[in-house]
Structures are given as structure tokens and as C-alpha cells.
């Protein structure tokens, strides 16, 4: 089964990887997306934040978390005392997967083949950046990095063992906060997200 692993030359740096990833066709998602949305941030960041896949706006701009979910992330990071530009922000899957709904492009969850095909890019990012802390936001990132037994609702906010980095946590996805059905639930979900990120901030101190 094809994955991006075969595209990654030994010894390549982040900028070389970004360039190669821009031509990746390791899974069918490259045909639907406008462009590869590679990670962004400091090459020696102490914190890496991992989402699911670019959204509609990210797909157009070519940068991760610059749409509505990105605004929630920015707000939560600020409340937690984390400077976003000190972090490296990326996604498990680097192309936007969507179906047309009238004129809108509706987000679709990536499947396990697409996640497996794209994961070598994330692993290469992590291996080069060597962050102190990794935060997986939402079920797709959590399960891609920690296995299918991890549940965000149950396991968020604690540090979980992993070989990839010294400290790792799963937390909610900012888009899940946006989807909360009531104002109360949205505020509660955002507060929980901020509380998780404050634990991350404490490790970064
Ligand atoms: N949701 C994600 O998971 N990643 C983005 O970059 C934007 C929205
Ligand atoms: Fe390659 Fe990932 Fe895009 Fe699939 S989603 S084509 S594996 S960059």
C-alpha cells in the first residue's frame, strides 16, 4: 500500500520536505484539494500542535489553522499563555477532503488509508523539530498518534506515553468547540480546552 514514506529522502530538512510534499500523490486526496497544506512554525519549536486536516480556508490559503477553527485555537492559546508563533502547527492529513453540498465544500473525515498514507509527513516533521511537547487535537490526530483505544473525551488533558516526544497530550479539536449546540456548552468546551493547554504551558515553562 502506498504511503508518503517513499517520498522522504534521508537527511532532508523541513523546507525540502515541504517542497516535496507539495507534489505528493500518495493518496487520492491530492486531486480534490487545492494544495498540500504543510505544517508551519519554528523549525525548532518546543511545542507541536496537530490537527486533523486543513479546512476550506486552509485549503485556499495553504496554511494550517487560519480559518474559524484557527481563531478558536488562537484564542485558547492566548488564554493559556502560549504564543502561537513559538509553536509548530500542523495536521495529520495534509490535503482537504471534502464533498460538494451545493456551492459549499463540506469537510469529510479522512479514512485510515489516507491517514496512513500521510502520516510519514507528520512523523518526519516531528523527527526534525524534536519538540518537547506534542498536542493532538481531536480524535483523528489522537488515534493516528496514540492508537485506536484513545478517546478524547476520556483521555484529554493528561500526559500520555509515546515514543515520539517527551510529553504528549490529546485534547479536543477547536472545530468541535465551534459545533457545540449551545452557548453554554461552547463556553464549557472552550474552558476545558484552555485548561488542557495550561497544563501544556506549565511543561513549557
Ligand atoms: N481543522 C484542522 O484540523 N486543521 C486545520 O488546519 C484547520 C481546521
Ligand atoms: Fe499526500 Fe497526504 Fe495529500 Fe494524501 S493527503 S496526497 S498522503 S499529502
Amino acid at each position: 500500500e502506498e504511503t508518503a514514506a517513499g517520498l522522504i529522502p534521508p537527511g532532508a530538512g523541513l523546507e525540502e520536505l515541504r517542497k516535496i510534499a507539495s507534489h505528493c500523490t500518495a493518496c487520492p486526496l491530492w486531486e480534490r484539494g487545492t494544495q498540500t497544506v504543510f505544517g508551519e512554525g519554528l523549525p525548532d519549536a518546543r511545542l507541536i500542535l496537530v490537527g486533523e486536516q486543513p479546512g476550506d480556508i486552509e485549503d485556499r490559503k495553504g496554511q494550517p489553522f487560519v480559518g474559524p477553527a484557527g481563531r478558536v485555537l488562537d484564542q485558547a492559546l492566548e488564554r493559556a499563555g502560549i504564543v502561537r508563533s513559538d509553536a509548530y502547527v500542523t495536521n495529520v492529513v495534509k490535503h482537504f477532503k471534502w464533498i460538494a453540498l451545493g456551492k459549499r465544500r463540506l469537510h469529510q473525515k479522512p479514512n485510515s488509508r489516507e491517514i496512513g498514507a500521510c502520516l510519514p509527513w507528520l512523523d518526519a516533521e516531528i523527527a526534525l523539530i524534536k519538540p518537547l511537547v506534542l498536542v493532538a487535537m481531536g480524535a483523528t490526530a489522537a488515534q493516528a498518534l496514540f492508537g485506536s483505544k484513545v478517546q478524547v473525551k476520556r483521555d484529554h488533558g493528561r500526559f500520555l506515553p509515546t515514543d515520539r516526544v517527551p510529553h504528549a497530550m490529546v485534547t479536543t479539536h477547536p472545530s468541535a468547540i465551534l459545533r457545540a449546540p449551545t452557548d453554554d456548552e461552547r463556553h464549557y468546551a472552550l474552558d476545558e480546552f484552555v485548561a488542557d493547554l495550561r497544563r501544556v504551558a506549565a511543561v513549557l515553562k
Side-chain angles (χ1 to χ4, degrees), residues 12 21 38 44 60 83 97 100 103 107 112 122 129 138 167 195 197:
F38 207 68
D44 57 352
R60 296 172 200 275
V83 178
K97 182 179 184 182
K103 283 180 185 163
H107 159 277
S112 58
L122 175 60
I129 294 160
H167 305 279
L197 292 174

Side-chain angles (χ1 to χ4, degrees), residues 63-174:
Q63 297 169 276
F65 284 100
V66 291
R71 281 195 292 279
V72 174
L73 176 61
D74 290 348
Q75 206 184 339
L77 287 172
E78 192 178 334
R79 279 179 57 188
I82 296 170
V83 178
R84 174 164 168 171
S85 58
D86 286 346
Y88 185 91
V89 181
T90 192
N91 287 295
V92 170
V93 168
K94 269 114 171 120
H95 271 99
F96 179 37
K97 182 179 184 182
W98 59 277
I99 47 161
L101 186 76
K103 283 180 185 163
R104 290 178 49 220
R105 301 194 299 171
L106 210 65
H107 159 277
Q108 285 200 296
K109 265 200 179 307
N111 63 36
S112 58
R113 163 159 150 51
E114 292 151 355
I115 291 166
C118 210
L119 200 54
W121 291 123
L122 175 60
D123 268 326
E125 289 172 297
I126 295 169
L128 285 166
I129 294 160
K130 299 185 182 67
L132 179 67
V133 190
L134 177 151
V135 177
M137 301 183 290
T140 297
Q143 294 180 355
L145 291 164
F146 300 96
S148 57
K149 290 202 181 92
V150 172
Q151 290 174 30
V152 173
K153 262 208 155 57
R154 185 192 63 201
D155 299 323
H156 76 90
R158 293 182 291 112
F159 289 97
L160 304 173
T162 171
D163 292 338
R164 286 182 170 91
V165 291
H167 305 279
M169 178 187 284
V170 304
T171 188
T172 189
H173 193 289

